[in-house]
Amino acid sequence: MNITIQDIIQYLTAHVELPENTVDRLITGSSDQTVTGVFVTFMPTQHVIEHAVQRGANLIIAHESPFYNHHSHTDWLANDPVYETKKSLIDEAGISIYRCHDIIHRFQPDGITEGLIQALGWSSYVEQQLAEADILSFPEGRTAQAIAHHVKSSLGIDYVRVAGNAEIVCRRAAVLVGFRGNGHVTIPLIQNEQLDLIIAGEGFEWETPEYIRDAVQQGKSKALIMMGHAESEASGMKLLADRLAERFPELSVRFIGEKPVYTVI
Amino acid sequence: MNITIQDIIQYLTAHVELPENTVDRLITGSSDQTVTGVFVTFMPTQHVIEHAVQRGANLIIAHESPFYNHHSHTDWLANDPVYETKKSLIDEAGISIYRCHDIIHRFQPDGITEGLIQALGWSSYVEQQLAEADILSFPEGRTAQAIAHHVKSSLGIDYVRVAGNAEIVCRRAAVLVGFRGNGHVTIPLIQNEQLDLIIAGEGFEWETPEYIRDAVQQGKSKALIMMGHAESEASGMKLLADRLAERFPELSVRFIGEKPVYTVI
């Protein structure tokens, strides 16, 4: 039996109510195509697309947009050579890119947070699963610095950015994936959940880290570990790939990672 | 003759037309106070305010908000202990904080960009001063990596984040301060100005660096140096302090820097 792209979309969206302004849709390709192979990824980069073409996979399920903006607008990119080269490759190879952003964040629990917590080996520390964050309790206490090293080694990343006091012993932390690292999310959480530590993906530099800096200057024990956006979300897409492979055993489904987009010099 | 805070505000705003929704205003204190000393800073942190109190300076001119959000809203911080401690110190010591964000970006040329270019020693390389960026030409060519090291040593910072190919020889670059590092600003610039290199403060991780990554994968010579938001803007506030000290020689005016809010682990 042939499996179409629409079959995969139906599986992904079956139990999810998407907001009206969702960014999730088939960004390229057409849903009536028969699936020849599935690549699941965080970012559908030029490299990931080339790799899919080489492997004969015609469906890429991606958390982020291929076109350098959250809403996948392309009018502003007309005549841009990087966009045109990427779009031509996608069109000529018949690659369908399905955006799975709002969907997976609406899984119960959030599929991206769940994948990260599993990758960090922290499932047994989860005390609460809120919509925007998992609240963790480390009963034995760990320094923020030790936690930073654990994050790096578990995720295979070269660096994290740390604000506040890395020496403090943390017993309560929140884990916030993607762009949930802004102050209006993290600061109320710190108070309401009596947190020592925020572990987040990305957020404005003038919000959470500056709050943490002020807290430490006031003598409070607080720290922040900023992992990187992709670093915080790729594990969730890997978990999705595992689930798709289990649900569609007749399909070739693979997760494709990317190197970190930044290196530190 | 006593100089009031209003006199300083009048000097700063004399030749600037501010937008209706400007964030620039006296955030704390009152404008009829006599100035006892001026601290100029990028971020009015707890530490900077304590320092001003110790030195008897009652006016802080700051590029960013003291309250962890661009619009200096405080309703959401009611009962937050970090906010309350900071606000009590400000009120008890009678510190006036004047936000100078939109003003200095509307100087001709942009006062923040000008300060950074001076700090980098690159004034002679400036080819165009656009509203959002300075366009630089390095006729002799320099690798992105060498430029990254120059940025670090000139600004005294420990790291920058680099995307793309750090080995490429760059002849044309744009310098974008603060949060101008997003794709809708940088990507059209790269094409219109035929740039090899973007040097920016801060921007979304899924925009400019991913575009640069794709460009390199397509065989194009592109690189990005992300300096950090404060790192890109503090020099402009330092330049403003120099100008204020020259205009008001009877006042004690000093620039106060902060350590980088993040360290890399």
Side-chain angles (χ1 to χ4, degrees):
Chain A
M1 192 192 80
N2 285 342
I3 296 167
T4 65
I5 289 169
Q6 186 55 39
D7 295 330
I8 306 282
I9 295 174
Q10 262 168 9
Y11 165 74
L12 290 172
T13 56
H15 306 289
V16 171
E17 194 163 329
L18 283 173
E20 246 183 57
N21 62 348
T22 182
V23 295
D24 288 1
R25 61 183 174 84
L26 197 62
I27 292 173
T28 67
S30 67
S31 59
D32 56 2
Q33 295 290 301
T34 298
V35 177
T36 61
V38 183
F39 268 31
V40 181
T41 195
F42 170 73
M43 183 65 73
T45 61
Q46 176 79 21
H47 175 253
V48 164
I49 295 163
E50 289 172 3
H51 201 159
V53 173
Q54 282 159 17
R55 294 290 191 128
N58 66 349
L59 174 60
I60 296 175
I61 299 173
H63 193 61
E64 300 294 348
S65 166
F67 301 133
Y68 325 116
N69 69 107
H70 186 56
H71 292 278
S72 301
H73 295 148
T74 57
D75 43 346
W76 66 293
L77 290 167
N79 304 317
D80 181 280
V82 176
Y83 165 71
E84 284 187 341
T85 301
K86 191 172 191 178
K87 187 65 165 55
S88 295
L89 172 68
I90 291 166
D91 291 345
E92 283 161 23
I95 299 288
S96 291
I97 301 179
Y98 186 70
R99 180 91 181 270
C100 178
H101 181 277
D102 302 334
I103 293 167
I104 192 167
H105 283 308
R106 277 164 184 74
F107 285 2
Q108 299 289 340
D110 182 310
I112 293 289
T113 306
E114 188 182 12
L116 177 62
I117 293 291
Q118 283 188 19
L120 293 168
W122 284 350
S123 302
S124 65
Y125 297 115
V126 175
E127 193 178 83
Q128 274 186 85
Q129 292 173 320
L130 306 176
E132 71 276 21
D134 272 15
I135 307 299
L136 271 59
S137 171
F138 300 112
E140 79 284 16
R142 304 175 178 199
T143 66
Q145 181 149 19
I147 293 172
H149 285 297
H150 176 82
V151 168
K152 285 169 59 181
S153 63
S154 303
L155 303 182
I157 56 182
D158 288 338
Y159 74 95
V160 293
R161 292 185 296 167
V162 176
N165 184 351
E167 307 298 324
I168 62 161
V169 174
C170 304
R171 289 194 167 76
R172 295 183 59 76
V175 174
L176 305 102
V177 300
F179 201 69
R180 292 175 178 167
N182 283 341
H184 71 280
V185 183
T186 59
I187 293 171
L189 264 188
I190 291 168
Q191 296 315 319
N192 296 339
E193 304 295 335
Q194 296 292 304
L195 305 178
D196 314 299
L197 174 68
I198 293 285
I199 305 172
E202 180 180 2
F204 296 136
E205 292 179 13
W206 62 91
E207 295 193 353
T208 308
E210 294 292 350
Y211 176 90
I212 295 288
R213 183 201 321 243
D214 276 354
V216 170
Q217 179 67 18
Q218 293 173 5
K220 301 175 172 81
S221 285
K222 304 289 173 193
L224 164 69
I225 297 171
M226 205 58 97
M227 274 179 280
H229 194 131
E231 290 70 18
S232 74
E233 298 206 296
S235 304
M237 294 304 286
K238 188 165 187 302
L239 179 60
L240 179 67
D242 295 343
R243 285 172 173 167
L244 274 170
E246 203 176 305
R247 171 63 185 78
F248 297 97
E250 59 276 58
L251 283 180
S252 161
V253 178
R254 61 176 72 211
F255 170 78
I256 304 294
E258 261 285 7
K259 284 182 279 191
V261 72
Y262 281 123
T263 53
V264 159
I265 288 186
Chain B
M1 192 193 78
N2 284 343
I3 296 167
T4 65
I5 288 169
Q6 186 55 37
D7 295 330
I8 306 281
I9 296 174
Q10 263 169 9
Y11 165 74
L12 290 173
T13 55
H15 304 290
V16 171
E17 194 163 330
L18 283 173
E20 246 182 58
N21 61 349
T22 182
V23 294
D24 288 1
R25 60 182 175 85
L26 197 62
I27 292 172
T28 68
S30 66
S31 59
D32 57 1
Q33 295 291 301
T34 297
V35 178
T36 61
V38 185
F39 268 30
V40 181
T41 196
F42 169 73
M43 181 66 72
T45 61
Q46 176 79 22
H47 175 252
V48 164
I49 295 163
E50 288 172 3
H51 201 160
V53 173
Q54 283 159 16
R55 295 292 191 127
N58 66 348
L59 173 61
I60 297 175
I61 300 174
H63 194 61
E64 300 295 348
S65 167
F67 300 134
Y68 325 116
N69 69 108
H70 186 55
H71 292 279
S72 301
H73 295 148
T74 57
D75 44 347
W76 68 292
L77 290 168
N79 305 317
D80 180 281
V82 177
Y83 164 70
E84 283 187 341
T85 301
K86 191 173 191 178
K87 187 65 167 54
S88 295
L89 173 67
I90 292 167
D91 291 344
E92 283 161 23
I95 299 286
S96 292
I97 301 179
Y98 185 71
R99 180 93 180 270
C100 177
H101 182 277
D102 302 335
I103 293 167
I104 191 168
H105 283 308
R106 277 164 184 74
F107 285 2
Q108 298 289 339
D110 182 311
I112 293 289
T113 305
E114 188 182 12
L116 176 62
I117 293 291
Q118 282 188 19
L120 293 169
W122 283 350
S123 301
S124 65
Y125 297 114
V126 175
E127 193 179 81
Q128 274 186 84
Q129 291 172 321
L130 306 177
E132 72 276 23
D134 271 15
I135 307 299
L136 272 59
S137 171
F138 300 113
E140 79 286 14
R142 304 175 177 199
T143 67
Q145 181 148 19
I147 293 172
H149 286 296
H150 176 81
V151 167
K152 286 170 57 181
S153 62
S154 303
L155 303 181
I157 56 181
D158 288 338
Y159 74 96
V160 293
R161 293 184 296 168
V162 175
N165 184 351
E167 307 298 323
I168 61 161
V169 175
C170 303
R171 290 194 166 76
R172 293 183 61 75
V175 174
L176 304 102
V177 298
F179 201 69
R180 292 175 178 166
N182 282 342
H184 70 278
V185 183
T186 60
I187 293 172
L189 264 189
I190 292 169
Q191 296 316 319
N192 297 339
E193 304 295 335
Q194 297 290 305
L195 305 177
D196 314 299
L197 174 67
I198 292 285
I199 304 171
E202 180 179 3
F204 296 136
E205 293 180 12
W206 61 91
E207 295 193 353
T208 308
E210 293 293 350
Y211 176 91
I212 296 287
R213 183 204 315 247
D214 276 354
V216 170
Q217 179 67 17
Q218 293 174 5
K220 300 174 172 80
S221 284
K222 304 288 174 195
L224 165 69
I225 297 171
M226 204 59 95
M227 275 178 281
H229 194 132
E231 291 70 17
S232 75
E233 297 206 297
S235 303
M237 294 305 285
K238 188 165 187 305
L239 179 60
L240 179 67
D242 295 343
R243 286 172 172 165
L244 274 170
E246 203 177 304
R247 171 64 185 78
F248 297 98
E250 60 276 57
L251 283 181
S252 161
V253 179
R254 62 176 71 212
F255 170 78
I256 304 294
E258 261 286 6
K259 284 182 278 190
V261 73
Y262 281 122
T263 54
V264 160
I265 288 187

